[in-house]
Amino acid sequence: MPSVISISKLAKHYQVPEREAGLKAAAKGLFKRTYRNVKAVDGISFDIQPGEVVGFLGPNGAGKTTTLKMLSGLLHPTAGSVSVLGYEPAKRAHDYLRQITLVMGNRNQLSWDLPALDSFDLQRAVYGIPTDEFKRTRDEFIEILDVKDLVKKPVRNLSLGERMKMEIIGALLHKPKILFLDEPTLGLDVTMQKRIRTFIAEYNKRYGATVLLTSHYMADVEALCKRVIVIHHGQLLFDGDLAALVEKFSAFKTVGFNIDDPTQDFSSYGDVVSVDGSRVVMRVPKAKTSAVTSSLLNDLAVDDLTVEATPIEDVIESVFSVKKEAME
Amino acid sequence: MHGLRLAFSHLRIGVMNEFQYRANLYIQLLQTFIALGTGLVGLNLVFSQTTDLGGWNKAELLAVMGVFTMTGGLIRAAIQPNMERLMEEIREGTLDYALTKPADAQLFVSVREFRLWQNTDVVVGLIVLGVALSQLGWLLDVWAVLGFLSALFMGAVMVYSFWLIVTSTAFWFVRVNEIANLFEGLYAAGRWPVDIYPNWLRYGLTFLVPVAFAVTVPASALTGRLTLQTWLGALALTVFLFVVARVVWSIGLKNYSGASA
């Protein structure tokens, strides 16, 4: 199948004004500015197939948002090529924009003082959606997200999570084929995150839409994305199955146990992560797990021994630190 | 067609928004009448000393004041709020949503805001204009009315283009908020016909900030002063400013990088 999103050696460099702290430097900046070249995105390539839900991961400032903005036509790339649905996004062809949507968890586009229903109506006009179809889609979304009573309240009276539901409905009314979601669950509580996640999954299933999603909540990524793309300092670190990522970078397991004297030296078994009362938590190389657990049981009088896979957050963190060490 | 529908839908939202804030109506009415009152006092003061100001008599100057009030209201209702929002969004990098819409970006950012209550100025301006015209004995023919309407339209386009050019510089200079004050200060000069000002100021108000075309020229049409030459000049300048605005906006937009998330 031909890919719907294809980027090759994509780069975006910014000129950022830079000066020393202090009044003197600020005054100097009135006349002569010095700039620093920042490589927000520095030569990344990947392809995404129709219907895929891909997690786009990286620490703050990795270049995720910049990439999403280039994909949605907001930014012109410095170098490299982008093609989405056969269009060059930066040209902002109306036929292209009608098929995509961009949701940013930290920004609103609904009218603050009006009920969301009025803003939805505006979206209908903007996208030229036929009235029947518009009503059908709107009511369908309202039903899935269970927000029948909320759509009539002024947006400013809604909670953050309720507002995000409205934002997502508004952003999908034109039934886009491609969804760029930048932290759609930012700041939401666990239940609300789950609701939004389920909705995205449902939309993807019903309409076969392609989704590129960034999130700091690994639960979002685990629930939605089979494939992840990891970038750091504007460069691609990993592109493949989430399971493979965990396999590749999760070199440790977490071993926990209770012991009467938790102050003794465990360094021959592994690194101690925490000691809480009589509970000791250790990080043990994956290959040595069984050896370590059996010697713990044999040598020491340990209780309630548990072995857990490293949480995915920690895996991601180790991906970044591994790469950082390699780069330095 | 799509553009008109877009503008109309935003207008509807803008009106609904304004209905939420009734107090604004009363404040705006108060402001309108204070402005009108001081204007009338000024006018009477001048005409207690003389019967003619730069070739304009009292009723004619009242007509200028009517057009001034009306056009000012239109600018503050439809042009200024859009440009101020645009300025804000460029500065904060939040223009993103507007740019992902399948519509001409310039059109889209120019129709999003509408301040209904500013139209009190339009209504009061029209009343003042009506009073002035009745004092002048309704000496109007079709050409005067057509000249007036077309001059008003061209004036509005010119003021819009001026605002868009200055606002677009925010793509480079980031902060250009002072423009609103600058414009209001200069627009206030339009209360009087620009012919009474010294040359340098008159040229400035004509070609730099097109206040002359927004107020004096439409008023000239109603008082039998508009020549074909001026009208054609206005048309040429309208087209010129509009094209320049479009170009500056397009270049600025390419330059837009959006404050990072």
Side-chain angles (χ1 to χ4, degrees):
Chain A
M1 224 180 328
S3 39
V4 274
I5 299 177
S6 172
I7 73 178
S8 166
K9 301 199 178 87
L10 185 67
K12 178 72 193 179
H13 300 177
Y14 289 110
Q15 295 280 328
V16 183
E18 190 181 53
R19 66 169 174 80
E20 303 289 316
L23 183 63
K24 199 176 153 196
K28 216 170 117 192
L30 280 176
F31 305 102
K32 189 171 180 290
R33 299 218 160 171
T34 47
Y35 291 92
R36 189 166 56 99
N37 201 20
V38 172
K39 295 175 177 171
V41 174
D42 197 19
I44 62 175
S45 310
F46 59 76
D47 288 273
I48 295 177
Q49 307 303 317
E52 268 195 287
V53 182
V54 178
F56 196 33
L57 310 178
N60 288 333
K64 293 170 303 206
T65 301
T66 304
T67 307
L68 287 185
K69 284 186 176 178
M70 284 192 275
L71 285 166
S72 43
L74 293 169
L75 295 178
H76 290 245
T78 310
S81 67
V82 193
S83 163
V84 187
L85 294 167
Y87 292 91
E88 189 185 321
K91 288 195 170 149
R92 302 186 56 247
H94 293 181
D95 283 336
Y96 172 62
L97 295 175
R98 246 188 283 278
Q99 300 183 62
I100 65 157
T101 201
L102 172 68
V103 175
M104 289 175 280
N106 54 353
R107 307 233 172 109
N108 316 307
Q109 60 173 337
L110 302 179
S111 263
W112 192 244
D113 294 315
L114 299 178
L117 276 181
D118 289 323
S119 290
F120 294 164
D121 224 37
L122 186 63
Q123 295 294 87
R124 181 182 62 82
V126 169
Y127 286 96
I129 311 167
T131 312
D132 289 351
E133 193 189 325
F134 164 75
K135 282 190 181 146
R136 219 171 26 241
T137 317
R138 183 192 63 189
D139 296 343
E140 180 187 340
F141 291 170
I142 289 175
E143 169 136 11
I144 303 179
L145 279 172
D146 192 19
V147 287
K148 210 164 176 210
D149 301 323
L150 300 179
V151 289
K152 291 176 190 153
K153 282 196 201 169
V155 169
R156 76 181 126 86
N157 294 343
L158 301 178
S159 74
L160 185 64
E162 293 169 340
R163 216 180 301 144
M164 199 60 218
K165 286 182 178 174
M166 302 301 154
E167 288 285 343
I168 290 195
I169 294 179
L172 296 181
L173 283 169
H174 60 290
K175 291 199 259 180
K177 286 191 186 134
I178 312 251
L179 276 55
F180 300 117
L181 309 178
D182 194 9
E183 301 282 352
T185 52
L186 193 72
L188 305 188
D189 66 39
V190 180
T191 333
M192 207 55 100
Q193 283 179 24
K194 218 166 166 180
R195 251 326 207 328
I196 303 263
R197 223 181 276 151
T198 318
F199 181 70
I200 294 167
E202 185 64 30
Y203 183 88
N204 162 260
K205 208 169 79 191
R206 282 194 194 187
Y207 298 104
T210 310
V211 182
L212 186 57
L213 163 108
T214 79
S215 178
H216 277 109
Y217 304 108
M218 289 314 298
D220 286 347
V221 179
E222 280 185 283
L224 290 170
C225 317
K226 217 171 129 295
R227 173 181 170 198
V228 291
I229 293 173
V230 184
I231 65 168
H232 192 28
H233 293 310
Q235 291 176 342
L236 199 85
L237 285 195
F238 179 86
D239 179 358
D241 277 2
L242 181 60
L245 176 78
V246 175
E247 187 58 36
K248 183 171 171 192
F249 286 94
S250 149
F252 295 93
K253 288 211 170 188
T254 306
V255 175
F257 52 86
N258 289 344
I259 191 163
D260 292 338
D261 175 18
T263 54
Q264 57 185 292
D265 181 23
F266 299 105
S267 58
S268 56
Y269 304 100
D271 299 331
V272 175
V273 181
S274 67
V275 179
D276 181 14
S278 61
R279 182 96 186 148
V280 178
V281 177
M282 290 176 53
R283 210 169 63 131
V284 176
K286 203 157 62 180
K288 285 173 67 185
T289 319
S290 48
V292 167
T293 47
S294 63
S295 47
L296 277 171
L297 288 166
N298 291 333
D299 308 351
L300 309 162
V302 302
D303 245 352
D304 291 338
L305 185 93
T306 56
V307 178
E308 285 163 24
T310 318
I312 194 149
E313 273 87 355
D314 299 352
V315 176
I316 297 292
E317 202 174 298
S318 66
V319 176
F320 299 146
S321 58
V322 166
K323 185 64 183 189
K324 213 164 150 194
E325 279 158 23
M327 285 166 110
E328 275 160 6
Chain B
M1 196 49 224
H2 179 61
L4 270 181
R5 205 168 48 214
L6 203 62
F8 178 75
S9 299
H10 275 109
L11 185 73
R12 210 173 134 251
I13 291 272
V15 169
M16 285 195 281
N17 254 325
E18 289 272 276
F19 280 155
Q20 308 262 339
Y21 296 107
R22 226 172 10 162
N24 277 353
L25 168 65
Y26 303 121
I27 296 169
Q28 192 50 51
L29 270 176
L30 190 70
Q31 213 170 332
T32 301
F33 283 110
I34 291 173
L36 181 70
T38 50
L40 287 175
V41 168
L43 198 62
N44 278 312
L45 272 176
V46 169
F47 281 92
S48 64
Q49 307 294 321
T50 174
T51 54
D52 171 292
L53 189 70
W56 296 69
N57 67 33
K58 192 175 170 183
E60 288 170 337
L61 282 180
L62 193 64
V64 173
M65 201 159 95
V67 177
F68 170 79
T69 307
M70 186 178 82
T71 312
L74 271 179
I75 293 171
R76 282 187 299 272
I79 299 176
Q80 200 168 326
N82 278 302
M83 294 300 133
E84 285 176 353
R85 175 165 171 194
L86 177 59
M87 238 174 252
E88 188 70 17
E89 293 189 344
I90 295 174
R91 190 165 65 82
E92 301 198 336
T94 51
L95 194 56
D96 302 355
Y97 278 132
L99 300 181
T100 54
K101 297 289 180 282
D104 181 78
Q106 183 191 339
L107 174 79
F108 193 80
V109 300
S110 303
V111 299
R112 291 182 296 174
E113 295 280 329
F114 185 71
R115 300 279 152 77
L116 181 68
W117 303 138
Q118 290 289 346
N119 286 299
T120 52
D121 274 344
V122 177
V123 175
V124 170
L126 275 171
I127 295 171
V128 172
L129 188 60
V131 171
L133 290 177
S134 79
Q135 284 181 8
L136 290 167
W138 297 106
L139 294 170
L140 293 174
D141 56 15
V142 177
W143 291 112
V145 174
L146 283 180
F148 169 71
L149 291 176
S150 56
L152 205 59
F153 176 74
M154 292 190 288
V157 174
M158 281 190 250
V159 169
Y160 162 76
S161 305
F162 166 79
W163 265 97
L164 186 62
I165 292 169
V166 181
T167 305
S168 297
T169 62
F171 284 119
W172 294 276
F173 301 129
V174 182
R175 224 191 149 96
V176 288
N177 303 31
E178 295 310 315
I179 165 70
N181 296 331
L182 176 77
F183 180 80
E184 252 163 45
L186 288 168
Y187 185 77
R191 182 183 295 277
W192 305 100
V194 293
D195 354 349
I196 69 166
Y197 293 117
N199 274 342
W200 61 269
L201 185 55
R202 197 171 71 217
Y203 287 124
L205 291 174
T206 306
F207 298 108
L208 288 182
V209 186
V211 174
F213 285 105
V215 183
T216 313
V217 173
S220 302
L222 290 177
T223 52
R225 285 180 170 78
L226 181 62
T227 60
L228 183 63
Q229 203 182 1
T230 308
W231 191 87
L232 287 174
L235 183 64
L237 192 63
T238 304
V239 173
F240 174 74
L241 277 178
F242 189 76
V243 170
V244 170
R246 177 103 194 151
V247 170
V248 174
W249 157 259
S250 307
I251 299 174
L253 199 56
K254 276 217 170 109
N255 212 41
Y256 174 73
S257 49
S260 187

